[in-house]
């Protein structure tokens, strides 16, 4: 519903002055041709921002939608690289707009080329890291204060980089999100955690894994978790899913169905970082979770 609404806003803003297309996901492209194409592109961008001022009403909810717009104006340096060069330039301007804050329009200039190249290089490197098994899990123990015994672990992902050493999540998670790799990375973490639980079957300890908003919105989280548990013959209650308050609130309806499927299969769900977002304390009463981390 949101994509259809946004497409309508784009068509209305373009008003027949260009070609509107969906690139994939939530990314659209508009091609404008003519001597005054640059001026028209700015007018269209302004129309898009204006058209998205009102929230989108869907499933009895109102969702605020904003756009980041990148513009590439045809010039000899860009045109020598062909149509793909134009798209790459517009993409670089788009990421500049995202980085500067939402609801912005940025125009491509040559200083962005290195930034775009570096970003795509970082994404490619992370893809290789996932495939090559360079992402590893460290296990932070959870201790029962009454007995002093370790009862479980929280799985923390690290990148064992061949040249830069051990990297913390802050150095590669933003790349995963921007590059559309958050789901692949999260699936990798779940599988590693399930394999660890299989190796430590005699301890009875559980392992919790953090789930990103992208995984929650993908619609395949429950299937992926249950597949990993079944493949490694792990008791469902030993693999615990953690999600943040923001991740639950942002996609409430679909997320609740995913969590319901997990809990029905015996997978516990914890709410992490509660109190750092916008949800009131009364929200806890109806949440489909088994525990809360403050």
């Amino acid at each position: 519903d949101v994509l259809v609404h946004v497409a309508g806003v784009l068509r209305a803003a373009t008003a027949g002055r260009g070609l509107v297309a969906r690139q994939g996901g939530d990314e659209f492209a508009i091609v404008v041709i003519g001597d005054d194409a640059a001026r028209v592109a700015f007018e269209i961008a302004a129309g898009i921002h204006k058209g998205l001022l009102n929230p989108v009403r869907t499933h009895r909810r109102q969702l605020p939608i904003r756009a980041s717009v990148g513009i590439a104006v045809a010039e000899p340096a860009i045109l020598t690289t062909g149509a793909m060069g134009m798209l790459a330039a517009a993409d670089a301007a788009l990421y500049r707009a995202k980085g500067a804050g939402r609801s912005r329009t940025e125009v491509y200039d040559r200083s962005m080329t290195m930034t775009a190249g570096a970003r795509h290089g970082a994404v490619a490197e992370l893809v290789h890291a996932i495939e090559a098994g360079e992402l590893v899990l460290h296990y932070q123990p959870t201790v029962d204060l009454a007995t002093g015994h370790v009862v479980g672990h929280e799985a923390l992902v690290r990148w064992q980089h061949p040249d830069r050493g051990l990297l913390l999540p802050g150095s590669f998670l933003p790349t995963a999100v921007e590059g559309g790799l958050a789901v692949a990375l999260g699936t990798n973490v779940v599988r590693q955690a399930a394999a660890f639980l299989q190796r430590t079957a005699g301890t009875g300890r559980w392992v919790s894994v953090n789930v990103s908003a992208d995984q929650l919105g993908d619609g395949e989280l429950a299937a992926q978790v249950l597949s990993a548990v079944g493949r490694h013959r792990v008791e469902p209650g030993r693999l615990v899913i953690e999600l943040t308050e923001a991740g639950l609130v942002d996609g409430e309806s679909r997320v609740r169905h995913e969590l319901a499927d997990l809990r029905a299969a015996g997978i516990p769900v914890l709410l992490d970082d509660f109190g750092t977002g916008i949800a009131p304390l009364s929200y806890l009463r109806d949440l489909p979770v088994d525990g809360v981390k403050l």
Side-chain angles (χ1 to χ4, degrees):
D1 291 341
V2 171
L3 290 173
V4 170
H5 176 85
V6 172
V9 170
L10 298 183
R11 283 196 294 265
T14 303
R17 295 176 292 177
L19 172 69
V20 183
R22 181 182 172 204
Q23 293 257 88
D26 61 351
E27 189 167 306
F28 294 80
I30 299 175
V31 180
V32 180
I33 300 175
D35 294 336
D36 60 346
R39 177 185 61 80
V40 172
F42 280 104
E43 291 178 356
I44 292 174
I48 292 171
H49 293 308
K50 183 178 180 180
L52 293 176
L53 287 176
N54 295 322
V56 179
R57 182 178 293 277
T58 175
H59 296 294
R60 292 178 294 180
R61 295 185 62 197
Q62 287 193 331
L63 303 176
I65 305 297
R66 297 291 181 266
S68 299
V69 180
I71 295 177
V73 180
E75 57 183 42
I78 299 178
L79 290 176
T80 55
T81 59
M84 293 306 296
M86 282 290 291
L87 280 173
D91 192 49
L94 168 64
Y95 275 92
R96 172 72 65 83
K98 285 184 176 181
R102 306 293 172 165
S103 300
R104 291 181 61 90
T105 298
E106 294 284 344
V107 181
Y108 172 81
D109 63 59
R110 294 181 185 180
S111 67
M112 297 179 184
T113 302
M114 187 63 70
T115 302
R119 184 178 65 253
H120 290 305
V123 171
E125 189 178 24
L126 186 54
V127 169
H128 172 76
I130 295 173
E131 295 174 347
E134 295 175 3
L135 296 181
V136 297
L137 298 187
H138 287 198
Y139 297 93
Q140 177 174 280
T142 300
V143 178
D144 184 333
L145 294 181
T147 64
H149 295 152
V150 175
V151 294
H153 300 86
E154 180 176 358
L156 305 173
V157 65
R158 304 287 186 261
W159 182 354
Q160 190 63 59
H161 197 284
D163 300 318
R164 299 163 59 193
L166 192 67
L167 302 180
L168 297 178
S171 63
F172 60 87
L173 287 186
T175 299
V177 173
E178 284 193 4
L181 299 176
V183 174
L185 192 154
T187 301
N188 180 279
V189 168
V190 169
R191 289 173 179 170
Q192 286 195 57
F196 173 81
L197 286 169
Q198 185 180 32
R199 296 193 301 270
T200 59
T203 66
R205 297 173 182 173
W206 47 262
V207 169
S208 65
V209 295
N210 293 284
V211 172
S212 69
D214 292 285
Q215 284 176 274
L216 286 169
D218 185 58
E220 300 294 329
L221 176 64
Q224 292 168 357
V225 171
L226 296 178
S227 173
V229 167
R231 178 181 179 184
H232 294 281
R233 299 186 296 279
V234 174
E235 296 176 18
R238 295 184 62 212
L239 182 60
V240 180
I241 298 300
E242 290 191 20
L243 67 155
T244 63
E245 174 189 326
L248 180 58
V249 173
D250 287 349
E252 186 176 341
S253 177
R254 189 190 315 183
V255 169
R256 283 176 179 268
H257 287 298
E258 286 279 292
L259 299 184
D261 290 342
L262 287 171
R263 298 180 73 211
I267 305 291
V269 178
L270 297 180
L271 183 63
D272 196 7
D273 287 341
F274 185 80
T276 61
I278 62 173
L281 191 60
S282 59
Y283 196 64
L284 288 175
R285 186 171 46 221
D286 302 317
L287 287 178
V289 297
D290 300 285
V292 178
K293 295 175 69 177
L294 302 178

